[in-house]
Structures are given as C-alpha cells and as structure tokens.
Amino acid sequence: RWSTPTTAGELVHHELRTVQPRMQQLHRENMNFVDLHNKLQQGVCAMADVWSTHSWPERHFAEMQGFTEVDIFKALKYFFPAYADLTHGDFRCRLAYSFMTLGLGEYPADGSSCEAG
C-alpha cells in the first residue's frame, strides 16, 4: 500500500495485490514473532560470534546450537506454565549447569552456579 499526492494536494491511495504462497502469507502476517525469536537466537550472545569459528561447518554447527537452545527455551515456557517467569539468561545458566553435571546435580535454589568469580 502506498499513497501519492495529486496536483491538488489530495492523497490517492494505491494497493497492489499479488497471489502468494500460503507460507509466504503466514510469514508476512507473523513476521514480528519470527523477528523476536531470531533476536533471541542472534541477540547479544550469538554462539557463532562468541565461539571463534574458523570454518563454515563449525559456524553452522554453532548457529544450530543457538537455534536449538532458543527453541527448547521457547518450548519449555509454552508447554510447561510453571516456567512462564523463567528468563532466557537463567535458562542458559540451568542448561550449562545440566551439561556440566550430566544432569545428575540438583540446580542450586539460589542460582549460585551462575555467579561470576
């Protein structure tokens, strides 16, 4: 949609409609959700940027790790309402703690495993 002024100063509104695949239509209607999701995946701490990659396979692997981590975070919050208030940073701390303890250690209630130092 766009508008153009006439010589008299009035705006004439134009609209161009084209046939598009359903998937493209869904993307255009919901791209704000896609953008928010990508912001989490590629935000301040994107895996491929933090990990000094030197090859395309390593970079793609790092990107996929980031996608997977965010997808799991979003699924956890969606399917398990008890985690609705969990922040992305706290989720990352819990995930890292789980990897370091092979899932055998109980996450500290005070979150002290994520303290710097």
Side-chain angles (χ1 to χ4, degrees):
R1 298 178 188 181
W2 70 97
S3 301
T4 56
T6 65
T7 55
E10 298 173 357
L11 286 180
V12 177
H13 302 287
H14 307 275
E15 183 175 307
L16 177 63
R17 292 189 175 261
T18 58
V19 177
Q20 61 184 335
R22 177 77 175 134
M23 186 55 89
Q24 183 179 2
Q25 177 188 348
L26 286 172
H27 175 73
R28 290 169 53 89
E29 290 171 357
N30 300 294
M31 65 184 173
N32 61 320
F33 298 113
V34 172
D35 289 343
L36 290 174
H37 193 76
N38 286 344
K39 175 67 175 159
L40 284 175
Q41 292 172 338
Q42 301 297 331
V44 176
C45 190
M47 179 66 81
D49 295 332
V50 174
W51 179 8
S52 183
T53 56
H54 299 287
S55 71
W56 279 110
E58 289 176 358
R59 183 164 185 84
H60 287 297
F61 178 74
E63 293 288 347
M64 288 307 299
Q65 273 188 314
F67 295 163
T68 304
E69 180 258 322
V70 170
D71 291 346
I72 292 168
F73 169 68
K74 298 297 276 182
L76 178 70
K77 290 181 63 112
Y78 183 83
F79 291 110
F80 295 92
Y83 292 98
D85 295 331
L86 183 68
T87 66
H88 193 213
D90 190 38
F91 173 77
R92 282 184 165 174
C93 287
R94 290 171 179 269
L95 183 63
Y97 187 83
S98 173
F99 285 149
M100 291 185 299
T101 62
L102 301 177
L104 302 174
E106 188 67 29
Y107 187 76
D110 64 358
S112 61
S113 68
C114 284
E115 291 179 3

